Amino acid sequence: MTVGSSDINHATVLDEDALAQRFDKLVSERIIFYDPNPKIIKYEDEGYKFEFRITRALKNKPDIPSGSQDTTVNSGHPALSSIPGSDINVSGFEIQPIGATHLLTYNMFSGFRPHFLLLTQDGYRKQYEPLDFDDIHAAHSVVSALNGEYMVLFNGGEESGCSRFHKHLQLIPHADTTFDVWRDIIDRGAKVPFQSFIRRFDEGLPNSRDLLTIYLELFEQAREALKQPVSSDGRAPPHNVIFDRRGIMVIPRRTAGIGRAGANAAGMLGIVWMSDDVRAQEWMDLGPTKILQTAGVPLETS
């Protein structure tokens, strides 16, 4: 199956049944941490819907220092099992290279079945860099190669909720009603309580070149909202990116959140993973909408 419709051609086949079966096997072996039955607390604040997902998987998350790697397990791509410069352990989680620039893996701490990471093969690329054509094209290729409905997430910089600095995107399946907020935003034009820049894809997912152009246009709007330039060392203003076949959204970010109540790209859509009820209560005590407004850029008032 050939995916992508630009001048760079990524040929790849992704068997979703096989991917799910291997995911389940890695979960059973406790190589991947995943809770199939998280406690879900639905909450609405100022008209914005939130879903707090309390998962045992995060309780197992060790304190991995930045830059540490355990490369004792090799799943078939020895050259990519240990990535110089990376602070993300991919050993044992590899699925396959995507072109010459990226590597598709499972996420060790998965929120969904399955939950993918798409990393640059160059471990010295940083999460605070803006997305480029290779990133967009690799993500486009994976989304196009999967029959199911998947969402691509990017947390650009610490203020956007990233926890690792090796440049990567995440791909997760649309799950039941979990992403109703996203569907409301893209399909019905629902408002969000912070500045965001959105383009709906009325004719389906654009080709990689056009998708990059759209992203860069929205990124420039986010940069202007933050009044920050791209620095001389390539550090972009912090922002989240969310896209699927329906549309794309870019969210400028000022901070990760308030105290321990931080939000990544999914969090800005109201989907917040946490390890215990205490964290959920902290969100509700602070006010979930206030957290997102603090993390993003407030809406302009007329």
Side-chain angles (χ1 to χ4, degrees), residues 30 33-39 53-61 109 274-276:
R30 294 186 60 79
F33 296 99
Y34 168 67
D35 182 356
N37 298 299
K39 178 180 178 180
R53 302 176 65 89
I54 301 168
T55 170
R56 293 171 296 174
L58 294 182
K59 292 181 180 180
N60 296 319
K61 188 172 183 178
F109 301 98
M274 51 192 61
S275 59
D276 54 53

PDB file of all heavy atoms in Angstrom, residues 30 33-39 53-61 109 274-276:
ATOM      1  N   ARG A  30       3.976  -7.063  30.629  1.00  0.00           N
ATOM      2  CA  ARG A  30       4.291  -5.870  31.411  1.00  0.00           C
ATOM      3  C   ARG A  30       5.481  -5.104  30.834  1.00  0.00           C
ATOM      4  O   ARG A  30       6.259  -4.473  31.554  1.00  0.00           O
ATOM      5  CB  ARG A  30       4.528  -6.222  32.891  1.00  0.00           C
ATOM      6  CG  ARG A  30       3.282  -6.744  33.581  1.00  0.00           C
ATOM      7  CD  ARG A  30       3.498  -6.954  35.080  1.00  0.00           C
ATOM      8  NE  ARG A  30       3.854  -5.720  35.757  1.00  0.00           N
ATOM      9  CZ  ARG A  30       2.997  -4.764  36.108  1.00  0.00           C
ATOM     10  NH1 ARG A  30       1.719  -4.897  35.806  1.00  0.00           N
ATOM     11  NH2 ARG A  30       3.406  -3.694  36.745  1.00  0.00           N
ATOM     12  N   PHE A  33       2.724  -0.588  29.691  1.00  0.00           N
ATOM     13  CA  PHE A  33       1.790  -0.372  30.788  1.00  0.00           C
ATOM     14  C   PHE A  33       0.516   0.254  30.220  1.00  0.00           C
ATOM     15  O   PHE A  33       0.554   1.338  29.645  1.00  0.00           O
ATOM     16  CB  PHE A  33       2.415   0.536  31.853  1.00  0.00           C
ATOM     17  CG  PHE A  33       3.622  -0.068  32.509  1.00  0.00           C
ATOM     18  CD1 PHE A  33       4.886   0.300  32.104  1.00  0.00           C
ATOM     19  CD2 PHE A  33       3.484  -1.014  33.507  1.00  0.00           C
ATOM     20  CE1 PHE A  33       6.014  -0.256  32.695  1.00  0.00           C
ATOM     21  CE2 PHE A  33       4.596  -1.584  34.105  1.00  0.00           C
ATOM     22  CZ  PHE A  33       5.869  -1.209  33.702  1.00  0.00           C
ATOM     23  N   TYR A  34      -0.590  -0.459  30.393  1.00  0.00           N
ATOM     24  CA  TYR A  34      -1.871  -0.018  29.855  1.00  0.00           C
ATOM     25  C   TYR A  34      -2.984  -0.518  30.756  1.00  0.00           C
ATOM     26  O   TYR A  34      -2.983  -1.674  31.167  1.00  0.00           O
ATOM     27  CB  TYR A  34      -2.064  -0.544  28.429  1.00  0.00           C
ATOM     28  CG  TYR A  34      -3.471  -0.374  27.895  1.00  0.00           C
ATOM     29  CD1 TYR A  34      -3.990   0.893  27.638  1.00  0.00           C
ATOM     30  CD2 TYR A  34      -4.278  -1.486  27.649  1.00  0.00           C
ATOM     31  CE1 TYR A  34      -5.277   1.047  27.152  1.00  0.00           C
ATOM     32  CE2 TYR A  34      -5.567  -1.343  27.155  1.00  0.00           C
ATOM     33  CZ  TYR A  34      -6.065  -0.078  26.921  1.00  0.00           C
ATOM     34  OH  TYR A  34      -7.351   0.082  26.447  1.00  0.00           O
ATOM     35  N   ASP A  35      -3.910   0.355  31.071  1.00  0.00           N
ATOM     36  CA  ASP A  35      -5.061   0.010  31.896  1.00  0.00           C
ATOM     37  C   ASP A  35      -6.303   0.015  31.011  1.00  0.00           C
ATOM     38  O   ASP A  35      -6.747   1.079  30.573  1.00  0.00           O
ATOM     39  CB  ASP A  35      -5.202   1.039  33.025  1.00  0.00           C
ATOM     40  CG  ASP A  35      -6.359   0.735  33.964  1.00  0.00           C
ATOM     41  OD1 ASP A  35      -7.101  -0.230  33.713  1.00  0.00           O
ATOM     42  OD2 ASP A  35      -6.522   1.481  34.951  1.00  0.00           O
ATOM     43  N   PRO A  36      -6.887  -1.164  30.720  1.00  0.00           N
ATOM     44  CA  PRO A  36      -8.044  -1.208  29.828  1.00  0.00           C
ATOM     45  C   PRO A  36      -9.318  -0.671  30.475  1.00  0.00           C
ATOM     46  O   PRO A  36     -10.305  -0.408  29.774  1.00  0.00           O
ATOM     47  CB  PRO A  36      -8.185  -2.695  29.498  1.00  0.00           C
ATOM     48  CG  PRO A  36      -7.599  -3.391  30.685  1.00  0.00           C
ATOM     49  CD  PRO A  36      -6.465  -2.516  31.151  1.00  0.00           C
ATOM     50  N   ASN A  37      -9.305  -0.506  31.785  1.00  0.00           N
ATOM     51  CA  ASN A  37     -10.499  -0.050  32.490  1.00  0.00           C
ATOM     52  C   ASN A  37     -10.183   1.123  33.418  1.00  0.00           C
ATOM     53  O   ASN A  37     -10.293   1.010  34.644  1.00  0.00           O
ATOM     54  CB  ASN A  37     -11.109  -1.202  33.293  1.00  0.00           C
ATOM     55  CG  ASN A  37     -11.562  -2.342  32.413  1.00  0.00           C
ATOM     56  OD1 ASN A  37     -12.431  -2.171  31.561  1.00  0.00           O
ATOM     57  ND2 ASN A  37     -10.962  -3.511  32.608  1.00  0.00           N
ATOM     58  N   PRO A  38      -9.786   2.256  32.856  1.00  0.00           N
ATOM     59  CA  PRO A  38      -9.499   3.409  33.717  1.00  0.00           C
ATOM     60  C   PRO A  38     -10.780   3.922  34.365  1.00  0.00           C
ATOM     61  O   PRO A  38     -11.880   3.781  33.813  1.00  0.00           O
ATOM     62  CB  PRO A  38      -8.923   4.439  32.737  1.00  0.00           C
ATOM     63  CG  PRO A  38      -9.569   4.097  31.437  1.00  0.00           C
ATOM     64  CD  PRO A  38      -9.670   2.591  31.425  1.00  0.00           C
ATOM     65  N   LYS A  39     -10.624   4.499  35.524  1.00  0.00           N
ATOM     66  CA  LYS A  39     -11.756   5.189  36.150  1.00  0.00           C
ATOM     67  C   LYS A  39     -11.952   6.505  35.425  1.00  0.00           C
ATOM     68  O   LYS A  39     -11.015   7.296  35.292  1.00  0.00           O
ATOM     69  CB  LYS A  39     -11.477   5.440  37.631  1.00  0.00           C
ATOM     70  CG  LYS A  39     -12.586   6.190  38.347  1.00  0.00           C
ATOM     71  CD  LYS A  39     -12.247   6.404  39.820  1.00  0.00           C
ATOM     72  CE  LYS A  39     -13.332   7.204  40.533  1.00  0.00           C
ATOM     73  NZ  LYS A  39     -12.998   7.420  41.969  1.00  0.00           N
ATOM     74  N   ARG A  53      -9.221  10.679  33.221  1.00  0.00           N
ATOM     75  CA  ARG A  53      -9.005   9.234  33.079  1.00  0.00           C
ATOM     76  C   ARG A  53      -7.930   8.800  34.081  1.00  0.00           C
ATOM     77  O   ARG A  53      -6.752   9.069  33.892  1.00  0.00           O
ATOM     78  CB  ARG A  53      -8.594   8.897  31.639  1.00  0.00           C
ATOM     79  CG  ARG A  53      -9.626   9.337  30.607  1.00  0.00           C
ATOM     80  CD  ARG A  53      -9.165   9.078  29.181  1.00  0.00           C
ATOM     81  NE  ARG A  53      -9.028   7.674  28.894  1.00  0.00           N
ATOM     82  CZ  ARG A  53     -10.003   6.892  28.436  1.00  0.00           C
ATOM     83  NH1 ARG A  53     -11.214   7.388  28.223  1.00  0.00           N
ATOM     84  NH2 ARG A  53      -9.789   5.619  28.191  1.00  0.00           N
ATOM     85  N   ILE A  54      -8.372   8.177  35.151  1.00  0.00           N
ATOM     86  CA  ILE A  54      -7.473   7.746  36.217  1.00  0.00           C
ATOM     87  C   ILE A  54      -7.032   6.320  35.903  1.00  0.00           C
ATOM     88  O   ILE A  54      -7.831   5.386  35.906  1.00  0.00           O
ATOM     89  CB  ILE A  54      -8.164   7.830  37.586  1.00  0.00           C
ATOM     90  CG1 ILE A  54      -8.614   9.280  37.842  1.00  0.00           C
ATOM     91  CG2 ILE A  54      -7.248   7.355  38.700  1.00  0.00           C
ATOM     92  CD1 ILE A  54      -9.540   9.455  39.014  1.00  0.00           C
ATOM     93  N   THR A  55      -5.756   6.172  35.602  1.00  0.00           N
ATOM     94  CA  THR A  55      -5.250   4.904  35.088  1.00  0.00           C
ATOM     95  C   THR A  55      -4.131   4.342  35.934  1.00  0.00           C
ATOM     96  O   THR A  55      -3.229   5.059  36.364  1.00  0.00           O
ATOM     97  CB  THR A  55      -4.769   5.066  33.625  1.00  0.00           C
ATOM     98  OG1 THR A  55      -4.061   3.891  33.227  1.00  0.00           O
ATOM     99  CG2 THR A  55      -3.859   6.281  33.469  1.00  0.00           C
ATOM    100  N   ARG A  56      -4.210   3.041  36.162  1.00  0.00           N
ATOM    101  CA  ARG A  56      -3.160   2.345  36.923  1.00  0.00           C
ATOM    102  C   ARG A  56      -1.840   2.344  36.165  1.00  0.00           C
ATOM    103  O   ARG A  56      -0.781   2.195  36.770  1.00  0.00           O
ATOM    104  CB  ARG A  56      -3.592   0.907  37.201  1.00  0.00           C
ATOM    105  CG  ARG A  56      -4.779   0.773  38.145  1.00  0.00           C
ATOM    106  CD  ARG A  56      -5.271  -0.657  38.203  1.00  0.00           C
ATOM    107  NE  ARG A  56      -5.787  -1.083  36.907  1.00  0.00           N
ATOM    108  CZ  ARG A  56      -6.176  -2.325  36.629  1.00  0.00           C
ATOM    109  NH1 ARG A  56      -6.088  -3.260  37.559  1.00  0.00           N
ATOM    110  NH2 ARG A  56      -6.646  -2.632  35.435  1.00  0.00           N
ATOM    111  N   ALA A  57      -1.902   2.507  34.843  1.00  0.00           N
ATOM    112  CA  ALA A  57      -0.674   2.469  34.042  1.00  0.00           C
ATOM    113  C   ALA A  57       0.307   3.541  34.484  1.00  0.00           C
ATOM    114  O   ALA A  57       1.520   3.322  34.509  1.00  0.00           O
ATOM    115  CB  ALA A  57      -1.012   2.626  32.564  1.00  0.00           C
ATOM    116  N   LEU A  58      -0.192   4.700  34.852  1.00  0.00           N
ATOM    117  CA  LEU A  58       0.704   5.781  35.257  1.00  0.00           C
ATOM    118  C   LEU A  58       1.280   5.557  36.648  1.00  0.00           C
ATOM    119  O   LEU A  58       2.321   6.117  36.990  1.00  0.00           O
ATOM    120  CB  LEU A  58      -0.038   7.124  35.198  1.00  0.00           C
ATOM    121  CG  LEU A  58      -0.462   7.584  33.802  1.00  0.00           C
ATOM    122  CD1 LEU A  58      -1.136   8.944  33.877  1.00  0.00           C
ATOM    123  CD2 LEU A  58       0.724   7.623  32.846  1.00  0.00           C
ATOM    124  N   LYS A  59       0.605   4.743  37.466  1.00  0.00           N
ATOM    125  CA  LYS A  59       1.152   4.442  38.791  1.00  0.00           C
ATOM    126  C   LYS A  59       2.429   3.615  38.668  1.00  0.00           C
ATOM    127  O   LYS A  59       3.267   3.609  39.561  1.00  0.00           O
ATOM    128  CB  LYS A  59       0.124   3.689  39.623  1.00  0.00           C
ATOM    129  CG  LYS A  59      -1.081   4.533  40.003  1.00  0.00           C
ATOM    130  CD  LYS A  59      -2.075   3.751  40.845  1.00  0.00           C
ATOM    131  CE  LYS A  59      -3.277   4.617  41.202  1.00  0.00           C
ATOM    132  NZ  LYS A  59      -4.278   3.895  42.019  1.00  0.00           N
ATOM    133  N   ASN A  60       2.559   2.903  37.553  1.00  0.00           N
ATOM    134  CA  ASN A  60       3.744   2.068  37.322  1.00  0.00           C
ATOM    135  C   ASN A  60       4.872   2.837  36.658  1.00  0.00           C
ATOM    136  O   ASN A  60       5.952   2.283  36.439  1.00  0.00           O
ATOM    137  CB  ASN A  60       3.380   0.865  36.431  1.00  0.00           C
ATOM    138  CG  ASN A  60       2.387  -0.064  37.086  1.00  0.00           C
ATOM    139  OD1 ASN A  60       2.489  -0.334  38.272  1.00  0.00           O
ATOM    140  ND2 ASN A  60       1.423  -0.548  36.318  1.00  0.00           N
ATOM    141  N   LYS A  61       4.619   4.084  36.321  1.00  0.00           N
ATOM    142  CA  LYS A  61       5.623   4.823  35.558  1.00  0.00           C
ATOM    143  C   LYS A  61       6.823   5.145  36.436  1.00  0.00           C
ATOM    144  O   LYS A  61       6.707   5.855  37.437  1.00  0.00           O
ATOM    145  CB  LYS A  61       5.015   6.127  35.022  1.00  0.00           C
ATOM    146  CG  LYS A  61       5.941   6.858  34.053  1.00  0.00           C
ATOM    147  CD  LYS A  61       5.228   8.024  33.406  1.00  0.00           C
ATOM    148  CE  LYS A  61       6.143   8.695  32.377  1.00  0.00           C
ATOM    149  NZ  LYS A  61       5.463   9.808  31.685  1.00  0.00           N
ATOM    150  N   PHE A 109       3.861   3.804  28.060  1.00  0.00           N
ATOM    151  CA  PHE A 109       2.772   4.114  28.986  1.00  0.00           C
ATOM    152  C   PHE A 109       1.576   4.573  28.158  1.00  0.00           C
ATOM    153  O   PHE A 109       1.452   5.746  27.819  1.00  0.00           O
ATOM    154  CB  PHE A 109       3.218   5.172  29.995  1.00  0.00           C
ATOM    155  CG  PHE A 109       4.401   4.728  30.803  1.00  0.00           C
ATOM    156  CD1 PHE A 109       5.676   5.122  30.451  1.00  0.00           C
ATOM    157  CD2 PHE A 109       4.249   3.869  31.878  1.00  0.00           C
ATOM    158  CE1 PHE A 109       6.780   4.696  31.171  1.00  0.00           C
ATOM    159  CE2 PHE A 109       5.336   3.433  32.601  1.00  0.00           C
ATOM    160  CZ  PHE A 109       6.607   3.837  32.250  1.00  0.00           C
ATOM    161  N   MET A 274      -4.334  10.782  34.492  1.00  0.00           N
ATOM    162  CA  MET A 274      -3.718  10.987  35.802  1.00  0.00           C
ATOM    163  C   MET A 274      -3.673   9.667  36.549  1.00  0.00           C
ATOM    164  O   MET A 274      -4.334   8.693  36.167  1.00  0.00           O
ATOM    165  CB  MET A 274      -4.488  12.037  36.588  1.00  0.00           C
ATOM    166  CG  MET A 274      -5.975  11.791  36.667  1.00  0.00           C
ATOM    167  SD  MET A 274      -6.906  13.218  37.287  1.00  0.00           S
ATOM    168  CE  MET A 274      -6.554  14.473  36.072  1.00  0.00           C
ATOM    169  N   SER A 275      -2.862   9.629  37.603  1.00  0.00           N
ATOM    170  CA  SER A 275      -2.615   8.367  38.306  1.00  0.00           C
ATOM    171  C   SER A 275      -3.540   8.123  39.481  1.00  0.00           C
ATOM    172  O   SER A 275      -3.647   6.998  39.953  1.00  0.00           O
ATOM    173  CB  SER A 275      -1.162   8.316  38.789  1.00  0.00           C
ATOM    174  OG  SER A 275      -0.902   9.412  39.657  1.00  0.00           O
ATOM    175  N   ASP A 276      -4.231   9.164  39.972  1.00  0.00           N
ATOM    176  CA  ASP A 276      -5.070   8.950  41.152  1.00  0.00           C
ATOM    177  C   ASP A 276      -6.146  10.023  41.270  1.00  0.00           C
ATOM    178  O   ASP A 276      -6.125  11.041  40.561  1.00  0.00           O
ATOM    179  CB  ASP A 276      -4.217   8.914  42.425  1.00  0.00           C
ATOM    180  CG  ASP A 276      -3.329  10.143  42.577  1.00  0.00           C
ATOM    181  OD1 ASP A 276      -3.868  11.266  42.505  1.00  0.00           O
ATOM    182  OD2 ASP A 276      -2.107   9.980  42.756  1.00  0.00           O
TER     183      ASP A 276
END
